[in-house]
Amino acid sequence: GLAGLDKVAATIVVVFIFLAAIEILSSNVRALASGRAEIAHEHAHGLKGPSKLLTAGLIGLVVAGYLGSGFYYVRPEEKAVVRRLGRVLAESRGPGLHYRLPYPFDRVNMVKTTIVREVSTDRRLLLSGDENLVEVNIAVHYRVSDPVKYLLKVLRPDALVREAAQASIRKTVGHTRIDDLLTIGRKEILAQTKKILQ
């Protein structure tokens, strides 16, 4: 039931297979160099001195690699949201090289905060304030100001923005006459829709 446990188990199995392969290779090389077949005899007595050093070195490399996996880089257009055992750490981290506790303790999600995102609604027939039908669609451009809320407080942020845009344009169009919608009232309609949407 633990997510990612397969990766950890696979890594451990790969390390053991690699250690066994090194031991078999070193035993065979020693047997070939001495001209005798001592392979079965060495395996019966366990690891010798150089093999113990090699094993310790490999274990050290695995531990160093695991600890080194905690480094991550945040690009200038991003902010990082770090969660330790599911709880968000106090601040989102800005650009640069950072360190977190390796998997499975900390998780890092990158959120692009400087790019302008776009969401557009489908064309819909709406009823204007003077009971005329008008076909309307709206495109919303926005930036993420709070990466924690964007990432964790809403399941599908773009869908939420799209639904809120449809509701705001529906309300604005429902209180506006068709002549204003099609001519000089567009700027006011956009300003009112933006106010309601925000």
Side-chain angles (χ1 to χ4, degrees):
L2 297 174
L5 191 59
D6 291 338
K7 293 177 186 176
V8 174
T11 304
I12 291 170
V13 168
V14 166
V15 168
F16 282 125
I17 291 172
F18 185 69
L19 289 173
I22 295 279
E23 176 63 26
I24 291 169
L25 179 67
S26 65
S27 298
N28 287 332
V29 167
R30 273 184 263 140
L32 287 174
S34 66
R36 298 175 295 166
E38 300 177 342
I39 299 170
H41 179 66
E42 285 188 12
H43 283 296
H45 293 298
L47 296 175
K48 301 288 184 193
S51 297
K52 286 183 182 178
L53 184 62
L54 183 63
T55 303
L58 287 174
I59 290 173
L61 281 175
V62 169
V63 170
Y66 175 71
L67 293 176
S69 69
F71 287 102
Y72 65 97
Y73 182 75
V74 182
R75 293 187 180 108
E77 71 273 7
E78 297 174 332
K79 286 201 176 174
V81 177
V82 181
R83 292 179 284 165
R84 180 164 294 151
L85 300 174
R87 176 176 275 171
V88 175
L89 295 182
E91 58 191 75
S92 55
R93 301 208 172 124
L97 185 65
H98 301 281
Y99 187 78
R100 61 167 173 90
L101 294 178
Y103 181 84
F105 302 105
D106 284 358
R107 280 196 165 165
V108 178
N109 295 97
M110 306 294 180
V111 178
K112 294 185 179 186
T113 56
T114 59
I115 66 166
V116 177
R117 299 170 190 267
E118 180 181 354
V119 174
S120 58
T121 63
D122 299 329
R123 290 190 168 275
R124 301 254 171 134
L125 284 174
L126 301 177
L127 198 60
S128 68
D130 55 355
E131 298 182 3
N132 287 300
L133 287 175
V134 61
E135 191 175 31
V136 177
N137 74 323
I138 184 172
V140 178
H141 299 119
Y142 69 97
R143 285 192 183 116
V144 175
S145 62
D146 188 341
V148 175
K149 287 182 181 176
Y150 179 81
L151 188 65
L152 302 174
K153 299 292 183 184
V154 179
L155 182 62
R156 293 176 299 150
D158 287 342
L160 175 69
V161 171
R162 183 178 297 110
E163 293 298 323
Q166 287 176 350
S168 63
I169 194 69
R170 191 176 297 122
K171 182 175 183 181
T172 304
V173 167
H175 290 90
T176 308
R177 294 179 39 230
I178 188 78
D179 293 335
D180 293 336
L181 286 170
L182 300 176
T183 57
I184 59 172
R186 283 187 165 193
K187 287 184 181 178
E188 294 173 12
I189 293 165
L190 289 176
Q192 184 68 21
T193 303
K194 179 180 176 183
K195 183 179 178 183
I196 293 170
L197 178 58
Q198 286 180 335

